[in-house]
Amino acid sequence: MLTQVLTALQNQDLLRAQFLLKEILASSPNNLDAMHLMGIVCGMMGRPNEALPFFEQCLQINPQDAMLRFNLAKALSSLQRDGDALEHHQQAAKLDPSNQDIWLNYGRSLDNLRKRKEALACYEKAVSLKPDLMEGWFNKGKILGELKCYDEALNSYMRAYQLRPTEPFLLGIILHYKMLICDWADLDGLYEHIQQNLRNGLKIVEPFGFQGISHSESDLLLAAKIFANERYPLRQAGPILAKPIRKKIRAAYLCGEFRDQATSVLMTGVYESHDKEKFEIFALDNGWNDGSVLRNRMEQAFQEMIDISSLSDEAVAELIKNLDIDILVNLNGYFGEARPNVFARHPAPIQVNFLGFPGTLGASYMDYLIADPIIIPPTSQEYYVEKIAYMPNSYQANDSKRIISDRIFSRSELGLPENGFVYCCFNNNYKITPQTFDCWMRILKAVDGSVLWLIEDNVFAANNLRIEAKNRGVSPDRIIFATRLSLPDHLARHSNADLFLDTLPYNAHTTASDALWTGLPVLTCLGNTFPGRVATSLLSALEMPELITNSMQEYENLAVELANSHDKFQAIKNKLLNHLNTKSLFDTQTYTRDLEDLYQKMYDRYQANLNPEHLY
C-alpha cells in the first residue's frame, strides 16, 4: 500500500495519500515509513502542528535518519520555532552533509534568528553542492544585502535570475540593488521592462524598492496590491462588533526599529507626549535593544514594551487580542524588521499604516493611513487602499528633543573647501537617480568652486558616482563623501553645508527634518507620489514655500541662484531659523494631540459600527 501512497503523492493527490496512510497506521501503528510519510503529507497540507507528533514518534525509533531530522526541522521552522529547529538541522547536516536542501533550510532558520553570517555559510555550502540551486543564490543575496555587501548581493541575485527568471519579485530586487550601488547601466530599460510587466499584472517588483524610481501613484498601488496578495494575504476577518467603551483607548505600536533608527528618531517624542489620561500605549518590539539613549526614553514612555521577535505570527496576534488592543499601528509597512502577517490576521479592530512606509500597503486589512493634504491630496485618494486620516499639518512626526552635539567640525577635517558653496544630500544612495544626478552636475558646472557632499552608504556607490561625475564633465574631486557618524555628531556637521539638494521621485524624509532642525535649508521639487511630496509637506509646515519648486528646471535654476545671490540665500536661512520654534513642524506636543484626535475619531467610528472613512 505504501507504493500506492507514493503514487498519490506524485500525482499531488494529498487526500488520497492521507486516506491510505490512515489505513496503514490503523492496522500497523508502528509502521515507521507510514508515520514519516503521514508527517510529510500533513506538512504539505499546511498543517505542520499535526506533522510534528508523527516526526517525533519516528525520531524516538530512528534518531539517525537524516531526512527525518530534516522534515522535523522544516515543520518547526514553518511554525516559526526556528530555535527548536536548529538542533535537528545540525544533526541532519552531520548525518547527510552532501544534501544541499538540508543546508538550505538550516540557513533559513539561522536567517530567521538573525544569525546572518552563520546563515550565509549554510547558503554558500548549499550552492557549492548544487551550483544551480536558485533558492541558495537568492537567499545568499538576501543575507549579503543585510550585511551591506551590496555588490556581492547583486551578483547573487543575478545568478538566481539566470537560473529562474520567473521567480516572483526578483527582477525588482535586482533593480533596487543596482540603485543601491548607483549602477545605472541600462537602468531605464530595466525600469521600463518592470513597469510594463507590472501593468500586465505580473509579480515583478516589491513596493519598497519601486518607490525609489517610480513617478506613478497608480503603479505603486498596483505593486502593493500584487505584493500583499502574494506574500501577505488576509488570514482572517477582523472584529465586527464593537467592544465596551473604556475610559482609555489602548493603542499598540508594532515596529522592528525601537532603537537608534530613523523611525524612532522621529517618534520617540510622540510616545512620550501621549496623554496618559486618555491612552494606554504599548510597544510590540520585533527588533532588539541597542542600549541607546533613544531606547531608554522609549522604554520609559510605554506602559509596556514587549519583545515579540521570537514569537510566531499567530502568537503575536493572540497577544494583541489578550491585551485588548483597540488600535494597532504598523510602523514598518514593507520596510525593516516588519511583521505584515500579524496584521493579516486582523487581531485588532482598527489597524493603521503610519510613517515607516510612505505609501499604501495594498491590503484590505489595513484600515487607515496617516497622511496630510500635501502628500495625499484628495484627488489621489483612489491610489490608496486605506482610508486617509489627515493630519492638519505635516504627517511626519518629529522629536523636539533631538540632540545636536557640541562638537565643532571644520570644513577641512570633513574634506570640504573652505570657501566654496557646499551643496549636500544625505539621502540613501538608492534615491539618487541618473536624472537627479544630471541636474546636480549641471548645478556644479554653473557654480564655480562648488562641491556636492553626499553620504557614503557603500564604497561601490561612491566609486560609481565619481565615474558618473567624470562622464558628465565634472571632476570627481568635487564629489565629497561623508562617513556615517552618531546622529548628534551628524547633525552638528550640517553647519558646514550651505544648501541641501533633495532627490526625486523619492524625497528626503528623516534626512530632510534632520537638515531643517539644524537650520540648513532644503531645496525640493514637488513630486507625483507620496514619497516624492514629503519634503514639500515638511517645508509647508515650516511655512517655507521659497524652497519648494514645481519642476526640475525651476529646482536647478533656484539652486544656482541661491549660491550666487548671498542676500536672497541669507534671507531664506534667517527665516528658516526664525520658524524652527514658532511653526508646527517641530512642535511635538501639538502634533501628538492632532494624532490622538485622529485615533479618537477612528475609535468613535468603530464604536458606532461604522466602516472606516477618510478623516479630516
Side-chain angles (χ1 to χ4, degrees), residues 275-295:
D275 186 341
K276 303 305 189 291
E277 297 299 315
K278 296 180 180 179
F279 289 85
E280 294 178 278
I281 61 166
F282 297 81
L284 303 177
D285 180 17
N286 194 49
W288 58 90
N289 184 348
D290 64 350
S292 64
V293 172
L294 271 182
R295 174 70 180 210

PDB file of all heavy atoms in Angstrom, residues 275-295:
ATOM      1  N   ASP A 275      -1.157  61.420  25.857  1.00  0.00           N
ATOM      2  CA  ASP A 275      -1.946  61.763  27.040  1.00  0.00           C
ATOM      3  C   ASP A 275      -2.293  60.478  27.794  1.00  0.00           C
ATOM      4  O   ASP A 275      -3.135  59.697  27.366  1.00  0.00           O
ATOM      5  CB  ASP A 275      -3.225  62.478  26.608  1.00  0.00           C
ATOM      6  CG  ASP A 275      -4.028  63.004  27.787  1.00  0.00           C
ATOM      7  OD1 ASP A 275      -3.814  62.531  28.922  1.00  0.00           O
ATOM      8  OD2 ASP A 275      -4.891  63.877  27.565  1.00  0.00           O
ATOM      9  N   LYS A 276      -1.623  60.255  28.908  1.00  0.00           N
ATOM     10  CA  LYS A 276      -1.799  59.010  29.665  1.00  0.00           C
ATOM     11  C   LYS A 276      -3.165  58.927  30.340  1.00  0.00           C
ATOM     12  O   LYS A 276      -3.560  57.865  30.814  1.00  0.00           O
ATOM     13  CB  LYS A 276      -0.688  58.876  30.721  1.00  0.00           C
ATOM     14  CG  LYS A 276       0.731  58.926  30.151  1.00  0.00           C
ATOM     15  CD  LYS A 276       0.973  57.893  29.063  1.00  0.00           C
ATOM     16  CE  LYS A 276       2.449  57.791  28.661  1.00  0.00           C
ATOM     17  NZ  LYS A 276       2.964  58.968  27.957  1.00  0.00           N
ATOM     18  N   GLU A 277      -3.886  60.056  30.381  1.00  0.00           N
ATOM     19  CA  GLU A 277      -5.249  60.027  30.922  1.00  0.00           C
ATOM     20  C   GLU A 277      -6.246  59.494  29.900  1.00  0.00           C
ATOM     21  O   GLU A 277      -7.338  59.057  30.259  1.00  0.00           O
ATOM     22  CB  GLU A 277      -5.674  61.444  31.352  1.00  0.00           C
ATOM     23  CG  GLU A 277      -4.842  62.037  32.472  1.00  0.00           C
ATOM     24  CD  GLU A 277      -4.931  61.208  33.741  1.00  0.00           C
ATOM     25  OE1 GLU A 277      -6.066  60.818  34.109  1.00  0.00           O
ATOM     26  OE2 GLU A 277      -3.876  60.941  34.350  1.00  0.00           O
ATOM     27  N   LYS A 278      -5.855  59.524  28.628  1.00  0.00           N
ATOM     28  CA  LYS A 278      -6.774  59.104  27.564  1.00  0.00           C
ATOM     29  C   LYS A 278      -6.301  57.869  26.799  1.00  0.00           C
ATOM     30  O   LYS A 278      -7.100  57.213  26.133  1.00  0.00           O
ATOM     31  CB  LYS A 278      -6.980  60.256  26.572  1.00  0.00           C
ATOM     32  CG  LYS A 278      -7.651  61.478  27.180  1.00  0.00           C
ATOM     33  CD  LYS A 278      -7.810  62.577  26.132  1.00  0.00           C
ATOM     34  CE  LYS A 278      -8.489  63.801  26.726  1.00  0.00           C
ATOM     35  NZ  LYS A 278      -8.625  64.892  25.717  1.00  0.00           N
ATOM     36  N   PHE A 279      -4.981  57.587  26.888  1.00  0.00           N
ATOM     37  CA  PHE A 279      -4.423  56.486  26.101  1.00  0.00           C
ATOM     38  C   PHE A 279      -3.524  55.607  26.957  1.00  0.00           C
ATOM     39  O   PHE A 279      -2.781  56.097  27.809  1.00  0.00           O
ATOM     40  CB  PHE A 279      -3.604  57.029  24.922  1.00  0.00           C
ATOM     41  CG  PHE A 279      -4.429  57.652  23.830  1.00  0.00           C
ATOM     42  CD1 PHE A 279      -4.816  58.983  23.917  1.00  0.00           C
ATOM     43  CD2 PHE A 279      -4.828  56.917  22.728  1.00  0.00           C
ATOM     44  CE1 PHE A 279      -5.589  59.565  22.930  1.00  0.00           C
ATOM     45  CE2 PHE A 279      -5.602  57.490  21.729  1.00  0.00           C
ATOM     46  CZ  PHE A 279      -5.987  58.805  21.828  1.00  0.00           C
ATOM     47  N   GLU A 280      -3.599  54.319  26.693  1.00  0.00           N
ATOM     48  CA  GLU A 280      -2.607  53.363  27.178  1.00  0.00           C
ATOM     49  C   GLU A 280      -1.842  52.903  25.950  1.00  0.00           C
ATOM     50  O   GLU A 280      -2.439  52.378  25.009  1.00  0.00           O
ATOM     51  CB  GLU A 280      -3.279  52.174  27.860  1.00  0.00           C
ATOM     52  CG  GLU A 280      -4.020  52.510  29.139  1.00  0.00           C
ATOM     53  CD  GLU A 280      -4.708  51.285  29.729  1.00  0.00           C
ATOM     54  OE1 GLU A 280      -5.813  50.950  29.263  1.00  0.00           O
ATOM     55  OE2 GLU A 280      -4.119  50.661  30.633  1.00  0.00           O
ATOM     56  N   ILE A 281      -0.531  53.117  25.948  1.00  0.00           N
ATOM     57  CA  ILE A 281       0.240  52.779  24.757  1.00  0.00           C
ATOM     58  C   ILE A 281       1.244  51.662  25.055  1.00  0.00           C
ATOM     59  O   ILE A 281       1.904  51.646  26.089  1.00  0.00           O
ATOM     60  CB  ILE A 281       0.942  54.010  24.154  1.00  0.00           C
ATOM     61  CG1 ILE A 281       1.941  54.642  25.134  1.00  0.00           C
ATOM     62  CG2 ILE A 281      -0.087  55.046  23.686  1.00  0.00           C
ATOM     63  CD1 ILE A 281       2.880  55.635  24.471  1.00  0.00           C
ATOM     64  N   PHE A 282       1.317  50.733  24.104  1.00  0.00           N
ATOM     65  CA  PHE A 282       2.186  49.567  24.221  1.00  0.00           C
ATOM     66  C   PHE A 282       3.127  49.536  23.024  1.00  0.00           C
ATOM     67  O   PHE A 282       2.782  49.983  21.932  1.00  0.00           O
ATOM     68  CB  PHE A 282       1.362  48.280  24.242  1.00  0.00           C
ATOM     69  CG  PHE A 282       0.432  48.156  25.410  1.00  0.00           C
ATOM     70  CD1 PHE A 282      -0.803  48.806  25.411  1.00  0.00           C
ATOM     71  CD2 PHE A 282       0.785  47.397  26.510  1.00  0.00           C
ATOM     72  CE1 PHE A 282      -1.662  48.700  26.491  1.00  0.00           C
ATOM     73  CE2 PHE A 282      -0.079  47.281  27.598  1.00  0.00           C
ATOM     74  CZ  PHE A 282      -1.297  47.936  27.585  1.00  0.00           C
ATOM     75  N   ALA A 283       4.322  48.987  23.236  1.00  0.00           N
ATOM     76  CA  ALA A 283       5.274  48.751  22.148  1.00  0.00           C
ATOM     77  C   ALA A 283       5.398  47.249  21.932  1.00  0.00           C
ATOM     78  O   ALA A 283       5.659  46.505  22.885  1.00  0.00           O
ATOM     79  CB  ALA A 283       6.640  49.343  22.492  1.00  0.00           C
ATOM     80  N   LEU A 284       5.188  46.803  20.712  1.00  0.00           N
ATOM     81  CA  LEU A 284       5.407  45.410  20.334  1.00  0.00           C
ATOM     82  C   LEU A 284       6.678  45.397  19.502  1.00  0.00           C
ATOM     83  O   LEU A 284       6.692  45.805  18.342  1.00  0.00           O
ATOM     84  CB  LEU A 284       4.204  44.877  19.550  1.00  0.00           C
ATOM     85  CG  LEU A 284       2.856  44.971  20.283  1.00  0.00           C
ATOM     86  CD1 LEU A 284       1.723  44.494  19.383  1.00  0.00           C
ATOM     87  CD2 LEU A 284       2.890  44.169  21.576  1.00  0.00           C
ATOM     88  N   ASP A 285       7.765  44.936  20.115  1.00  0.00           N
ATOM     89  CA  ASP A 285       9.116  45.107  19.571  1.00  0.00           C
ATOM     90  C   ASP A 285       9.559  43.875  18.801  1.00  0.00           C
ATOM     91  O   ASP A 285       9.815  42.821  19.383  1.00  0.00           O
ATOM     92  CB  ASP A 285      10.083  45.400  20.723  1.00  0.00           C
ATOM     93  CG  ASP A 285      11.513  45.598  20.245  1.00  0.00           C
ATOM     94  OD1 ASP A 285      11.711  45.825  19.038  1.00  0.00           O
ATOM     95  OD2 ASP A 285      12.433  45.512  21.078  1.00  0.00           O
ATOM     96  N   ASN A 286       9.685  44.021  17.477  1.00  0.00           N
ATOM     97  CA  ASN A 286      10.180  42.927  16.650  1.00  0.00           C
ATOM     98  C   ASN A 286      11.667  43.078  16.342  1.00  0.00           C
ATOM     99  O   ASN A 286      12.198  42.372  15.498  1.00  0.00           O
ATOM    100  CB  ASN A 286       9.388  42.858  15.329  1.00  0.00           C
ATOM    101  CG  ASN A 286       9.635  41.567  14.600  1.00  0.00           C
ATOM    102  OD1 ASN A 286       9.552  40.502  15.186  1.00  0.00           O
ATOM    103  ND2 ASN A 286       9.957  41.642  13.316  1.00  0.00           N
ATOM    104  N   GLY A 287      12.332  44.004  17.032  1.00  0.00           N
ATOM    105  CA  GLY A 287      13.752  44.224  16.809  1.00  0.00           C
ATOM    106  C   GLY A 287      14.592  43.801  17.991  1.00  0.00           C
ATOM    107  O   GLY A 287      14.465  42.692  18.493  1.00  0.00           O
ATOM    108  N   TRP A 288      15.421  44.703  18.464  1.00  0.00           N
ATOM    109  CA  TRP A 288      16.318  44.373  19.576  1.00  0.00           C
ATOM    110  C   TRP A 288      16.671  45.646  20.337  1.00  0.00           C
ATOM    111  O   TRP A 288      16.488  46.760  19.843  1.00  0.00           O
ATOM    112  CB  TRP A 288      17.584  43.704  19.057  1.00  0.00           C
ATOM    113  CG  TRP A 288      18.366  44.507  18.080  1.00  0.00           C
ATOM    114  CD1 TRP A 288      19.367  45.393  18.341  1.00  0.00           C
ATOM    115  CD2 TRP A 288      18.206  44.526  16.652  1.00  0.00           C
ATOM    116  NE1 TRP A 288      19.843  45.959  17.192  1.00  0.00           N
ATOM    117  CE2 TRP A 288      19.153  45.438  16.131  1.00  0.00           C
ATOM    118  CE3 TRP A 288      17.364  43.850  15.762  1.00  0.00           C
ATOM    119  CZ2 TRP A 288      19.271  45.690  14.766  1.00  0.00           C
ATOM    120  CZ3 TRP A 288      17.475  44.102  14.406  1.00  0.00           C
ATOM    121  CH2 TRP A 288      18.419  45.003  13.923  1.00  0.00           C
ATOM    122  N   ASN A 289      17.170  45.450  21.535  1.00  0.00           N
ATOM    123  CA  ASN A 289      17.565  46.558  22.402  1.00  0.00           C
ATOM    124  C   ASN A 289      19.016  46.913  22.100  1.00  0.00           C
ATOM    125  O   ASN A 289      19.923  46.114  22.338  1.00  0.00           O
ATOM    126  CB  ASN A 289      17.409  46.131  23.868  1.00  0.00           C
ATOM    127  CG  ASN A 289      17.706  47.265  24.841  1.00  0.00           C
ATOM    128  OD1 ASN A 289      18.235  48.302  24.461  1.00  0.00           O
ATOM    129  ND2 ASN A 289      17.361  47.061  26.099  1.00  0.00           N
ATOM    130  N   ASP A 290      19.233  48.133  21.569  1.00  0.00           N
ATOM    131  CA  ASP A 290      20.597  48.547  21.237  1.00  0.00           C
ATOM    132  C   ASP A 290      21.262  49.321  22.374  1.00  0.00           C
ATOM    133  O   ASP A 290      22.395  49.790  22.234  1.00  0.00           O
ATOM    134  CB  ASP A 290      20.609  49.380  19.952  1.00  0.00           C
ATOM    135  CG  ASP A 290      19.854  50.696  20.087  1.00  0.00           C
ATOM    136  OD1 ASP A 290      19.160  50.884  21.117  1.00  0.00           O
ATOM    137  OD2 ASP A 290      19.940  51.538  19.176  1.00  0.00           O
ATOM    138  N   GLY A 291      20.552  49.460  23.519  1.00  0.00           N
ATOM    139  CA  GLY A 291      21.138  50.144  24.662  1.00  0.00           C
ATOM    140  C   GLY A 291      21.310  51.641  24.480  1.00  0.00           C
ATOM    141  O   GLY A 291      22.018  52.285  25.263  1.00  0.00           O
ATOM    142  N   SER A 292      20.671  52.213  23.486  1.00  0.00           N
ATOM    143  CA  SER A 292      20.859  53.634  23.182  1.00  0.00           C
ATOM    144  C   SER A 292      20.028  54.520  24.107  1.00  0.00           C
ATOM    145  O   SER A 292      19.132  54.055  24.816  1.00  0.00           O
ATOM    146  CB  SER A 292      20.466  53.907  21.730  1.00  0.00           C
ATOM    147  OG  SER A 292      19.080  53.644  21.544  1.00  0.00           O
ATOM    148  N   VAL A 293      20.323  55.812  24.072  1.00  0.00           N
ATOM    149  CA  VAL A 293      19.546  56.797  24.832  1.00  0.00           C
ATOM    150  C   VAL A 293      18.096  56.794  24.356  1.00  0.00           C
ATOM    151  O   VAL A 293      17.155  56.851  25.159  1.00  0.00           O
ATOM    152  CB  VAL A 293      20.171  58.202  24.679  1.00  0.00           C
ATOM    153  CG1 VAL A 293      19.264  59.259  25.296  1.00  0.00           C
ATOM    154  CG2 VAL A 293      21.562  58.249  25.307  1.00  0.00           C
ATOM    155  N   LEU A 294      17.899  56.698  23.037  1.00  0.00           N
ATOM    156  CA  LEU A 294      16.547  56.655  22.489  1.00  0.00           C
ATOM    157  C   LEU A 294      15.779  55.454  23.031  1.00  0.00           C
ATOM    158  O   LEU A 294      14.611  55.561  23.397  1.00  0.00           O
ATOM    159  CB  LEU A 294      16.586  56.586  20.961  1.00  0.00           C
ATOM    160  CG  LEU A 294      16.609  57.894  20.171  1.00  0.00           C
ATOM    161  CD1 LEU A 294      16.593  57.599  18.676  1.00  0.00           C
ATOM    162  CD2 LEU A 294      15.442  58.795  20.533  1.00  0.00           C
ATOM    163  N   ARG A 295      16.428  54.310  23.053  1.00  0.00           N
ATOM    164  CA  ARG A 295      15.768  53.101  23.544  1.00  0.00           C
ATOM    165  C   ARG A 295      15.327  53.285  24.999  1.00  0.00           C
ATOM    166  O   ARG A 295      14.198  52.913  25.368  1.00  0.00           O
ATOM    167  CB  ARG A 295      16.722  51.905  23.425  1.00  0.00           C
ATOM    168  CG  ARG A 295      16.207  50.600  24.045  1.00  0.00           C
ATOM    169  CD  ARG A 295      15.059  50.024  23.248  1.00  0.00           C
ATOM    170  NE  ARG A 295      14.585  48.777  23.851  1.00  0.00           N
ATOM    171  CZ  ARG A 295      14.050  47.777  23.160  1.00  0.00           C
ATOM    172  NH1 ARG A 295      13.916  47.865  21.857  1.00  0.00           N
ATOM    173  NH2 ARG A 295      13.634  46.694  23.781  1.00  0.00           N
TER     174      ARG A 295
END
